[in-house]
């Protein structure tokens, strides 16, 4: 576009831009919330547990027990898979982020063009308009805009910016248009300095799943070293075992207590989830958002762009009737509307629809373009905009907000349209002169502009899914509540007939009460949207907010999970945790299902891993208390881990699982794994004691213990696999066959020795006993959990009263 501007707004020349680039004055930063490939490799390789594995590997090599290094291939494989999956996910996200990268309108050599924000340089002249995120610190040259700096300051009020005003990067334009010169770019900008400080403080809030797994790893990490030392000292100095056997038994206990596969399982599941969602054109700015969205029980949606298509069109322009007569003729009204649209600086969806309508008019109906004396951009906080020309000020916006107490004079004329779900705007003449302090004088209604916003084809199906899943939907819009209610009903949203005009909510108490009672909220300002989200959270809900405009950003910022449509404003897309790149709201169920798959499957598989850790910890304590040498060898622990934990755990983590997430992640894992861990301890402990009574060789007891642990391992595998599918049956049969094969043909590698008849008899007896103990312990734990839930439910009911 070859538009020429005044000298101070011609922008930099190509030569000046090149000089700035060479001087490093470019709007790029090295601050990123994502890891580099080097950081991914380092985080997977240089871990606390890998250090322990290195130490015990050296100890086993020193004593010559090379057979017990069977855990090494698993550890190396875990590390490599973790690195590969994270790098794959990173590459996919990098490509998706490039598609969603922020852009800017820049003036160079007197020509306006659109480039990536990171290609801007210090001194560039940019054009800013509604919906744009300010990507670098700047100073306004000309024009005026309303800016929201809440993402930086926490203040929700819109701030007016005129020529000479400073603009902070990270804020976003709410309305108006201006040209500004960039003063600080890249790492020198305000938002970069804030980001750097935030990065120094830490990685931010973690999801419940990651936090729970970190707790498990932390406590096991603390316990493993002192317990290992105690077992070695006891075996070598008190039980007079050889140095080699003392090292081997200590290593077996330590390996059993290390949850080496948990991190890999979680990392791989999240990475695969990211890749699967990317294929559906869903971009994750924040990994934990998948889990959060899966836990959501209230979904707040905007009307435009979510329930309806983002594009609107003018359906009708009709004069307002006053005392039975038209305020203006149709020709006069059309000409005035045309003049307003040409003079306005707005570029939102409504103005685009009005511009398209004006352009479609015959030349004779458009009238003459008028020079505006003053332009007041539309603001979602006051629901109107204005243009002054020919000594008159015209207003365009929501009839209730423009006419205020006089709205009843036109309510009968707007009602037929709002009842059908149409959007109604009012064009009026303001009797005052200045709008900067709000409306203080009366306004004379002139005409109604009726806009249509078609409902998305798949909206009803999408909302039906959320209804079936027990997720409540709240529609929060700036439009007329009756209009929004009709559209929500047509989209199949439950209780959509229950609506309220949010402009009448005066106190925080009224907002909180309305949040629980109503489904549709109309005439909602950006600050009120934020209040509604907070009110729902205060009532104990996990809230997701979807939107596509700058008026949604405040609510999106406070929601537990925020979802933006890429077709909306760039500021909203950059602020959101999840971005629907093709702006198709129908992807939301698949995002929720993906999150449920990850959380439910990781929780299910984590319980397998934790059985081994709980058993090893309890058996280590048991051995220390009763002065027994730990009965198992590392190779046997590796065999059990491979076929009852590792392989089935990872295969089950890939299975579809759309069940609703219930309860606390850590408590769910512990309640599933505790019965099996205690059963393992009782069975193996009894077997070891009986082995001492009957003088059975320790190698035979170790083999019998391995078989017993495998039986209990398959018990919990069967328990967590319900309901069974063909795939789950195949996983179970494959792992049983694998264990039997290794026990028969690779018995030397996994330290499986021959057993006497008395040892076999004891193993069979304790295997049957273990089944009963596991079953009754499971019933006991489930009963305790039900009692706890009932008490918690009663406590919540009491607090609500």
């Amino acid at each position: 576009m070859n538009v020429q501007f005044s000298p101070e707004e011609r922008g930099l020349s190509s030569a000046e831009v090149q000089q700035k680039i060479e001087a490093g004055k470019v709007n790029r930063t090295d601050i990123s919330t994502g890891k580099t490939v080097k950081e991914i490799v380092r985080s997977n390789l240089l871990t606390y547990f890998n250090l322990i594995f290195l130490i015990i590997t050296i100890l086993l090599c020193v004593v010559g027990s090379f057979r017990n290094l069977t855990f090494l291939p698993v550890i190396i494989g875990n590390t490599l898979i973790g690195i590969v999956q994270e790098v794959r996910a990173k590459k996919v996200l990098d490509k998706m982020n490039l598609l969603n990268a922020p852009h800017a309108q820049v003036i160079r050599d007197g020509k306006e063009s659109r480039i990536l924000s990171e290609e801007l340089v210090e001194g560039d002249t940019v054009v800013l308009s509604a919906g744009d995120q300010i990507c670098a610190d700047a100073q306004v040259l000309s024009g005026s805009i309303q800016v929201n700096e809440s993402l930086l300051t926490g203040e929700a009020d819109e701030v007016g910016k005129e020529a000479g005003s400073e603009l902070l990067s990270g804020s976003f334009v709410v309305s108006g248009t201006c040209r500004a010169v960039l003063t600080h770019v890249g790492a020198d900008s305000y938002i970069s300095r804030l980001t750097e400080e935030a990065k120094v403080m830490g990685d931010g809030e973690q999801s419940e799943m990651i936090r729970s797994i970190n707790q498990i790893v932390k406590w096991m990490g603390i316990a493993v070293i002192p317990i290992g030392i105690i077992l070695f000292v006891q075996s070598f100095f008190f039980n007079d075992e050889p140095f080699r056997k003392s090292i081997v038994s200590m290593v077996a206990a330590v390996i059993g207590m290390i949850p080496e596969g948990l991190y890999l399982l979680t990392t791989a599941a999240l990475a695969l989830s990211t890749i699967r969602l990317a294929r559906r054109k869903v971009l994750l700015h924040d990994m934990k958002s998948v889990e959060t969205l899966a836990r959501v029980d209230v979904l707040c949606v905007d009307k435009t762009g979510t329930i309806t298509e983002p594009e609107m069109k003018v359906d009708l322009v009709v004069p307002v009737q006053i005392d039975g007569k038209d305020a203006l003729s149709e020709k006069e009204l059309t000409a005035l509307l045309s003049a307003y649209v040409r003079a306005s600086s707005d570029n939102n969806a409504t103005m685009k629809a009005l511009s398209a309508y004006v352009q479609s008019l015959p030349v004779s109906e458009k009238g003459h373009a008028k020079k505006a004396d003053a332009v007041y951009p539309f603001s979602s906080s006051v629901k109107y905009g204005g243009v002054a020309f020919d000594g008159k000020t015209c207003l365009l916006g929501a009839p209730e907000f423009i006419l205020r107490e006089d709205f009843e004079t036109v309510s009968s004329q707007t009602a037929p349209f709002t009842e059908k779900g149409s959007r109604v705007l009012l064009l009026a003449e303001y009797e005052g002169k200045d709008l900067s302090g709000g409306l203080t004088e009366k306004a004379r209604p002139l005409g109604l502009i009726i806009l249509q916003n078609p409902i998305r084809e798949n909206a009803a199906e999408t909302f039906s899914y959320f209804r079936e899943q027990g997720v409540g939907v709240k529609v929060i819009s700036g439009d007329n509540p009756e209009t929004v209610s009709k559209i929500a009903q047509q989209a199949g949203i439950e209780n959509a007939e229950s609506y309220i005009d949010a402009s009448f909510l005066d106190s925080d108490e009224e907002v909180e009460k309305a949040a629980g009672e109503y489904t549709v909220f109309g005439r909602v300002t950006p600050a009120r949207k934020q209040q509604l989200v907070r009110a729902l959270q205060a009532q104990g809900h996990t809230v997701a907010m979807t939107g596509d405009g700058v008026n949604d950003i405040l609510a999106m910022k406070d929601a537990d999970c925020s979802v933006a449509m890429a077709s909306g404003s760039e500021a909203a897309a950059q602020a959101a945790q999840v971005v629907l790149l093709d702006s198709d709201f129908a992807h939301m169920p698949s995002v929720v299902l993906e999150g449920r798959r990850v959380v439910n499957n990781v929780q299910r598989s984590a319980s397998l891993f934790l059985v081994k850790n709980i058993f090893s910890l309890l058996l280590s304590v048991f051995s220390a208390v009763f002065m027994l040498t730990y009965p198992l060898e590392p190779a046997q622990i590796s065999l059990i881990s491979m076929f009852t934990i590792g392989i089935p755990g990872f295969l089950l983590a890939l299975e579809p699982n759309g069940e609703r997430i219930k309860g606390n992640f850590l408590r769910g894992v512990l309640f599933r794994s505790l019965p099996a861990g205690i059963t393992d301890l009782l069975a193996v402990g009894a077997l070891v004691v009986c082995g001492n009574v009957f003088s059975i060789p320790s190698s035979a007891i170790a083999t019998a213990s391995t078989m017993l642990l495998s039986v209990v391992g398959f018990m919990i595998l069967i328990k967590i696999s319900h309901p069974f599918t063909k795939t789950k049956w195949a996983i179970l049969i494959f792992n049983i066959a694998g264990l039997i094969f290794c026990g028969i043909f690779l018995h030397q590698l996994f330290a499986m020795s021959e057993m006497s008849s008395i040892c076999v008899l004891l193993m069979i007896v304790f295997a049957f006993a273990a089944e009963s103990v596991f079953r009754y312990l499971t019933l006991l734990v489930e009963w305790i959990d039900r009692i706890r839930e009932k008490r918690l439910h009663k406590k919540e009911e009491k607090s609500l009263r």
Side-chain angles (χ1 to χ4, degrees):
M1 191 164 72
N2 300 325
V3 182
Q4 300 296 321
F5 303 104
S6 56
E8 69 272 15
E9 296 174 14
R10 289 179 61 84
L12 299 176
S13 65
S14 299
E16 288 172 323
V17 170
Q18 190 58 40
Q19 287 174 3
K20 296 284 186 181
I21 293 171
E22 291 171 0
K25 300 292 185 180
V26 186
N27 197 38
R28 288 196 188 98
T29 65
D30 58 358
I31 297 165
S32 172
T33 53
K35 295 178 182 177
T36 63
V37 173
K38 187 177 179 181
E39 287 171 335
I40 289 171
V41 173
R42 189 165 59 237
S43 66
N44 280 276
L45 201 59
L46 305 179
T47 67
Y48 172 69
F49 287 127
N50 278 356
L51 175 63
I52 293 177
F53 283 127
L54 177 63
I55 293 169
I56 61 180
T57 299
I58 293 170
L59 289 174
L60 288 173
C61 290
V62 168
V63 299
S65 184
F66 300 106
R67 178 180 67 182
N68 284 305
L69 294 174
T70 47
F71 65 88
L72 268 184
V74 177
I75 302 307
I76 294 168
N78 281 357
T79 304
L80 290 175
I81 291 170
I83 291 170
V84 169
Q85 291 291 10
E86 276 201 74
V87 170
R88 275 185 67 201
K90 173 184 167 53
K91 287 181 177 177
V92 170
L93 283 177
D94 285 348
K95 288 179 182 176
M96 302 291 275
N97 274 313
L98 190 61
L99 293 174
N100 193 51
H103 290 74
Q105 292 292 124
V106 65
I107 301 168
R108 288 177 178 173
D109 295 314
K111 299 175 183 177
E112 188 176 328
S113 60
R114 184 174 172 82
I115 64 172
L116 288 171
S117 295
E118 65 174 23
E119 294 175 0
L120 293 168
V121 299
E122 187 180 283
D124 260 330
T125 299
V126 293
V127 180
L128 299 170
S129 54
D132 290 342
Q133 186 153 22
I134 299 170
C135 51
D137 297 347
Q139 186 177 45
V140 178
L141 291 174
S142 63
S144 64
I145 54 174
Q146 292 288 315
V147 171
N148 190 302
E149 298 176 343
S150 61
L151 299 181
L152 304 174
T153 65
E155 297 296 328
D157 294 335
E158 295 172 8
V159 182
K161 301 287 185 178
E162 307 286 342
S165 299
E166 297 294 328
L167 301 174
L168 294 176
S169 54
S171 54
F172 56 90
V173 182
V174 176
S175 61
T177 302
C178 79
R179 296 191 181 94
V181 61
L182 303 186
T183 54
H184 298 99
V185 296
D188 295 330
S189 66
Y190 185 77
I191 189 65
S192 294
R193 294 197 299 273
L194 279 185
T195 307
E196 192 169 15
E197 288 171 15
K199 196 176 182 185
V200 169
M201 289 172 68
D203 293 329
E205 186 184 351
Q206 293 174 323
S207 66
E208 184 185 334
M209 182 176 72
I210 299 297
R211 192 167 58 247
S212 299
I213 287 171
N214 282 342
Q215 281 183 284
I216 294 169
V217 171
K218 174 187 171 184
W219 291 114
M220 286 298 178
I222 291 171
V224 71
I225 291 179
I227 288 177
I229 292 171
I230 290 168
L231 288 176
F232 172 76
V233 169
Q234 174 203 297
S235 178
F236 186 66
F237 292 103
F238 294 97
N239 292 354
D240 296 322
E241 297 284 1
F243 181 72
R244 182 182 185 279
K245 184 171 177 59
S246 299
I247 288 292
V248 169
S249 62
M250 179 269 288
V251 168
V254 168
I255 288 176
M257 285 187 285
I258 295 176
E260 77 278 359
L262 262 182
Y263 263 133
L264 170 64
L265 176 73
T266 310
T267 302
L270 285 172
L272 287 170
S273 177
T274 301
I275 293 168
R276 276 193 288 259
L277 288 173
R279 288 176 185 150
R280 295 190 180 102
K281 304 293 183 187
V282 178
L283 170 64
L284 302 179
H285 280 159
D286 185 350
M287 274 285 199
K288 76 180 177 69
S289 56
V290 179
E291 180 189 346
T292 309
L293 197 53
R295 294 180 182 277
V296 160
D297 61 352
V298 173
L299 178 65
C300 297
V301 299
D302 187 27
K303 176 182 73 70
T304 307
T306 304
I307 302 176
T308 64
E309 298 289 349
E311 297 83 15
M312 289 183 277
K313 66 174 184 178
V314 176
D315 188 47
L316 194 64
V317 176
V318 293
V320 168
Q321 289 198 333
I322 301 173
D323 298 329
K325 295 180 181 180
D326 291 345
L328 291 176
S329 67
E330 287 189 13
K331 186 176 180 180
E332 289 173 326
L333 178 61
T334 304
L336 182 60
L337 177 62
S338 178
Y340 183 101
V341 170
R342 290 176 182 178
S344 175
S345 59
D346 294 328
N347 67 341
N348 52 35
T350 304
M351 190 52 66
K352 287 175 182 176
L354 292 172
S355 297
Y357 170 76
V358 169
Q359 289 173 11
S360 68
L361 292 172
V363 177
S364 59
E365 294 183 24
K366 288 184 182 180
H368 299 290
K370 298 180 181 180
K371 184 179 179 181
D373 300 321
V375 176
Y376 303 94
F378 175 85
S379 171
S380 53
S381 61
V382 295
K383 307 296 181 191
Y384 61 81
V387 174
F389 36 47
D390 296 341
K392 297 178 182 178
T393 301
C394 289
L395 303 175
L396 181 67
E400 304 95 314
F401 281 72
I402 291 175
L403 296 178
R404 293 153 291 160
E405 66 273 8
D406 294 334
F407 172 65
E408 291 300 321
T409 58
V410 299
S411 59
S412 61
Q413 298 176 57
T414 61
F417 302 110
T418 56
E419 287 172 3
K420 293 178 183 177
S422 299
R423 187 179 185 191
V424 180
L425 297 179
L426 175 72
L427 184 64
E429 182 183 334
Y430 183 53
E431 294 180 2
K433 298 295 181 184
D434 185 22
L435 296 181
S436 56
L439 300 181
T440 55
E441 304 294 332
K442 290 187 177 294
R444 185 170 71 92
L446 302 175
L448 301 177
I449 296 93
I450 316 302
L451 295 105
Q452 292 292 348
N453 211 183
I455 294 172
R456 289 181 181 270
E457 288 182 13
N458 43 31
E461 184 182 343
T462 304
F463 289 117
S464 173
Y465 166 81
F466 284 115
R467 183 171 63 251
E468 291 166 5
Q469 297 300 315
V471 178
V473 176
K474 303 284 186 182
V475 186
I476 305 176
S477 174
D479 290 346
N480 179 283
E482 191 173 353
T483 299
V484 181
S485 173
K486 293 295 179 184
I487 289 175
Q489 288 177 58
Q490 292 168 28
I493 294 175
E494 194 173 21
N495 300 322
E497 67 281 356
S498 174
Y499 64 86
I500 188 172
D501 189 328
S503 62
F504 294 115
L505 300 175
D506 297 321
S507 65
D508 291 343
E509 290 75 18
E510 288 180 358
V511 171
E512 190 163 341
K513 185 180 178 183
E517 291 182 5
Y518 296 95
T519 299
V520 174
F521 301 83
R523 297 304 181 208
V524 186
T525 62
R528 187 70 80 203
K529 283 189 182 185
Q530 186 179 35
Q531 277 185 301
L532 285 167
V533 167
R534 288 175 177 174
L536 289 165
Q537 289 171 324
Q539 292 169 12
H541 295 293
T542 303
V543 183
M545 176 71 201
T546 67
D548 63 349
V550 291
N551 57 325
D552 301 313
I553 291 178
L554 293 180
M556 290 166 68
K557 181 172 70 77
D558 276 12
D560 297 291
C561 184
S562 52
V563 183
M565 308 291 170
S567 62
S569 74
E570 282 194 347
Q574 294 302 313
Q577 295 165 313
V578 180
V579 182
L580 306 181
L581 291 176
D582 58 1
S583 301
D584 189 353
F585 187 67
H587 287 318
M588 286 293 289
S590 64
V591 178
V592 172
L593 284 172
E594 195 59 55
R596 288 181 177 181
R597 181 213 290 258
V598 170
V599 178
N600 286 324
N601 285 347
V602 169
Q603 187 177 48
R604 183 169 60 183
S605 298
S607 60
L608 289 178
F609 285 91
L610 212 59
V611 167
K612 181 191 74 166
N613 304 141
I614 291 172
F615 157 71
S616 294
L617 179 64
L618 294 176
L619 187 60
S620 297
V621 173
F622 176 82
S623 300
V625 170
F626 292 99
M627 300 298 288
L628 299 169
T629 300
Y630 194 85
L632 296 166
E633 289 195 24
Q636 294 165 338
I637 294 288
S638 297
L639 179 65
I640 298 163
S641 298
M642 189 186 308
F643 291 109
T644 67
I645 299 169
I647 294 173
F650 280 102
L651 292 176
L652 287 174
L654 302 176
E655 278 282 281
N657 192 332
E659 294 177 18
R660 288 184 64 189
I661 298 171
K662 299 173 184 175
N664 177 273
F665 181 92
L666 183 57
R667 186 166 54 246
V669 170
L670 286 172
F671 274 30
R672 280 178 171 175
S673 55
L674 203 57
I678 295 173
T679 302
D680 279 340
L681 171 68
L682 295 174
V684 173
L687 188 61
V688 170
V689 171
C690 289
N692 288 339
V693 171
F694 293 105
S695 300
I696 298 171
S698 59
S699 59
I701 290 295
T703 300
S705 297
T706 304
M707 300 308 293
L708 260 180
L709 291 172
S710 300
V711 169
V712 178
F714 286 123
M715 283 181 193
I716 188 170
L717 181 57
I718 291 168
K719 173 75 176 173
I720 68 170
S721 294
H722 282 292
F724 267 95
T725 61
K726 289 181 180 179
T727 305
K728 289 176 183 176
W729 276 116
I731 291 170
L732 179 64
I733 293 167
F734 170 79
N735 284 285
I736 292 173
L739 182 75
I740 293 170
F741 176 85
C742 291
I744 296 173
F745 297 103
L746 300 174
H747 57 90
Q748 288 186 336
L749 178 64
F750 290 104
M752 303 293 284
S753 62
E754 290 186 7
M755 295 183 288
S756 62
S757 55
I758 186 69
C759 186
V760 172
L761 182 62
L762 284 172
M763 183 190 75
I764 292 171
V765 169
F766 286 127
F768 279 107
E771 191 280 329
S772 297
V773 171
F774 175 69
R775 179 156 36 88
Y776 286 116
L777 279 175
T778 301
L779 291 172
L780 177 63
V781 166
E782 289 175 350
W783 177 76
I784 292 170
D785 192 36
R786 283 197 300 272
I787 295 295
R788 186 197 60 79
E789 284 185 356
K790 283 181 181 177
R791 286 181 178 175
L792 189 65
H793 186 63
K794 285 180 180 178
K795 191 176 179 181
E796 286 177 353
E797 284 184 340
K798 192 176 179 181
S799 64
L800 286 172
R801 287 174 196 160

